[in-house]
Amino acid sequence: MSGSLAIVGAGATGLAAAYLAARGGRSVTVLESSPSVGGLLDTFSIAGTRLEKYYHHFFTHDRFLLAMLEDLGIRDRLRFFPGSIGVHGPYGIQPFGAPSDLLGYRGLSPADKARFVLTSLYLGKVADWRRFENISAVSWFDRWAGRGVTQNLWHPLLRAKFGRHADRIPLSWMIGRLSQRMNSRSGTSERLGYLEGSLSVYLEALMDRLTKLGVRVVPSCPVRRVVTEEGRIVRLETDLGPILADETLFTQPMGSMADLFEESLPDYSAACRSVRYLGALCVVLELSQPLSATYWVNVTDPACPFTGLVEHTNLVPPAAYQNRRIVYLGRYFDLEDPIAAMSAEAITAEFVGYLRAMFPAFEDSTIQGTRFFRTRTAATLCDLGFSARVPAFAGPLKNMRVGNMAHVYPDERSLNNAIRVAHAALGAKLA
């Protein structure tokens, strides 16, 4: 590809695409509707440093991320630490990160544990996700992993993330998740990465490089209308005037794309709108004492208002945060769920209230600060047959490209996958 490029959306994918295109010699303009850039990469100040609003970590096999960090000269800021995983359910928090943990896991029979290992290895190492797009994960697990494993582990975990949609999540999504986790293991232990200084280090380095490459990034500049003639985009209309480019790449959520094409391409607009999203919220606690020794706790208790507890300073040493303990209480939510409209204060009170039951020794006096963050576009709702709804990278107009969160399927949203999508959206052939 050559010529000028306009990119709509300055999130992780849009900014990565701007860098890749400009590095290849193209003139690039990036338009962002919000006042700031980075999207879900955004950070805030806490305990003398920066921290992600929505928890992030990286895997050892994140090759697109590693290449980008090398290009930006910040590869040496990436640190890898041993990760630890637990499950909170009827028996409290049980470790669940190593094979030895499974041996002592309460609630599963020896036969359940054997079937769990065999089915997990098959999905994570052997299965081709394309064969299982129209098979629900719950039904497959019920048949092959057994009723005990399904009812005590997989179904509660799927329900925790997808709520009422849990029974329609394809096995393909689980294959993507298990493959991602297993490939980050060395022997029986998992190593997870974190960028020293937070993703603000990445964002600052990337924005600096974009400036040097002559990329124009324009925040607070929503695209109001896409003007087309003879099957091509001729200009983008914005509050700051028209934007002309030889080609346009759309990286924003599918709903806002649908709005732009509702009149000119109604069928395409309807297809975009068929891709639905889950929201997410995070309550971030700054504590004087740790809660546990586990980094990542998946919650299967349906009475718990949050579905994941991430004790960040059980991965990254607390010295980075003036020895404060940093805890995320996270939850995905259906956009029609009542929690979508609840106040930050009410949600925080409910989450902290459950901590008292989860950790009897927990005292409110250990809380040194709380933060609350919520987004309505945290993940795509990838139900059965989802790939048929993922838009092609080549849009319906001759000079239109598309690349957004929907394209990471069957993998999970991550910075590595955002960069991978940026490569593919620009037409790169990926191995």
Side-chain angles (χ1 to χ4, degrees):
M1 294 186 297
S2 60
S4 58
L5 175 68
I7 298 176
V8 182
T13 299
L15 293 177
Y19 169 71
L20 296 169
R23 188 183 64 178
R26 303 187 71 176
S27 172
V28 182
T29 299
V30 185
L31 308 173
E32 170 57 43
S33 60
S34 67
S36 60
V37 301
L40 294 176
L41 305 183
D42 202 9
T43 62
F44 67 101
S45 178
I46 186 170
T49 188
R50 305 294 297 181
L51 183 70
E52 293 76 16
K53 292 180 178 179
Y54 305 97
Y55 44 83
H56 282 76
H57 60 231
F58 309 121
F59 296 98
T60 55
H61 55 86
D62 282 349
R63 65 186 181 96
F64 293 98
L65 171 68
L66 294 174
M68 179 70 88
L69 296 181
E70 193 71 41
D71 275 3
L72 297 177
I74 54 173
R75 173 66 178 82
D76 61 337
R77 301 290 293 272
L78 182 61
R79 303 281 187 267
F80 282 94
F81 306 96
S84 55
I85 300 174
V87 175
H88 173 71
Y91 302 99
I93 296 177
Q94 298 191 78
F96 204 74
S100 58
D101 296 333
L102 183 62
L103 292 174
Y105 192 84
R106 299 172 66 189
L108 298 179
S109 69
D112 288 335
K113 294 172 183 178
R115 293 177 76 173
F116 173 85
V117 170
L118 291 173
T119 52
S120 297
L121 286 172
Y122 171 71
L123 295 178
K125 295 291 188 180
V126 178
D128 180 352
W129 68 269
R130 296 168 187 83
R131 294 180 50 212
F132 298 98
E133 276 205 277
N134 292 297
I135 298 173
S136 80
V138 171
S139 65
W140 191 91
F141 280 127
D142 202 41
R143 178 179 180 183
W144 296 104
R147 183 63 57 90
V149 173
T150 305
Q151 291 186 342
N152 287 289
L153 270 177
W154 290 127
H155 193 243
L157 290 173
L158 285 164
R159 186 178 60 237
K161 177 162 185 173
F162 295 103
R164 63 189 176 93
H165 306 284
D167 291 346
R168 289 187 52 79
I169 301 306
L171 188 64
S172 301
W173 183 83
M174 283 301 312
I175 291 170
R177 292 292 284 153
L178 288 169
S179 175
Q180 185 180 55
R181 302 305 298 233
M182 289 185 182
N183 287 333
S184 195
R185 287 184 173 275
S186 176
T188 60
S189 63
E190 181 178 44
R191 293 182 62 78
L192 301 173
Y194 187 75
L195 199 61
E196 184 181 45
S198 83
L199 283 173
S200 66
V201 173
Y202 169 81
L203 197 56
E204 289 169 9
L206 181 56
M207 292 301 293
D208 179 66
R209 189 64 59 86
L210 292 179
T211 298
K212 291 176 180 176
L213 288 169
V215 174
R216 181 185 176 209
V217 180
V218 190
S220 300
C221 186
V223 174
R224 302 296 184 185
R225 183 166 173 254
V226 178
V227 180
T228 65
E229 290 179 7
E230 298 180 350
R232 297 180 62 86
I233 297 173
V234 294
R235 69 179 180 275
L236 306 175
E237 292 188 352
T238 77
D239 295 344
L240 301 179
I243 302 295
L244 283 70
D246 296 317
E247 191 169 41
T248 302
L249 168 62
F250 296 86
T251 69
Q252 77 269 52
M254 298 295 286
S256 62
M257 273 187 59
D259 293 340
L260 289 176
F261 294 102
E262 196 158 21
E263 293 184 8
S264 60
L265 296 170
D267 290 344
Y268 187 71
S269 175
C272 291
R273 216 174 290 283
S274 73
V275 177
R276 295 174 293 166
Y277 285 77
L278 294 172
L281 53 86
C282 282
V283 173
V284 185
L285 302 178
E286 185 181 350
L287 306 178
S288 60
Q289 299 292 328
L291 290 175
S292 73
T294 306
Y295 164 55
W296 188 290
V297 178
N298 292 301
V299 180
T300 61
D301 180 3
C304 182
F306 52 86
T307 56
L309 185 154
V310 179
E311 199 156 351
H312 176 69
T313 40
N314 286 339
L315 182 73
V316 179
Y321 307 94
Q322 299 178 1
N323 288 318
R324 296 290 174 86
R325 305 296 174 135
I326 308 298
V327 176
Y328 290 89
L329 307 177
R331 171 174 171 169
Y332 286 94
F333 61 88
D334 188 297
L335 300 184
E336 298 176 2
D337 192 302
I339 204 169
M342 283 178 62
S343 70
E345 293 77 14
I347 294 171
T348 301
E350 187 176 1
F351 281 21
V352 172
Y354 188 86
L355 280 185
R356 300 187 189 101
M358 194 172 181
F359 299 98
F362 170 75
E363 297 181 358
D364 288 358
S365 61
T366 64
I367 300 176
Q368 306 298 301
T370 65
R371 314 291 199 287
F372 178 87
F373 305 104
R374 175 163 39 197
T375 177
R376 294 177 64 84
T377 53
T380 51
L381 179 55
C382 48
D383 52 2
L384 296 175
F386 182 76
S387 70
R389 292 192 293 283
V390 176
F393 288 115
L397 301 169
K398 295 175 184 176
N399 58 343
M400 174 184 173
R401 304 288 295 181
V402 181
N404 58 35
M405 195 184 294
H407 292 95
V408 307
Y409 176 82
D411 291 334
E412 185 79 327
R413 169 185 54 80
S414 70
L415 180 52
N416 180 72
N417 283 327
I419 299 168
R420 173 176 62 84
V421 168
H423 278 275
L426 292 173
K429 301 296 184 183
L430 305 181

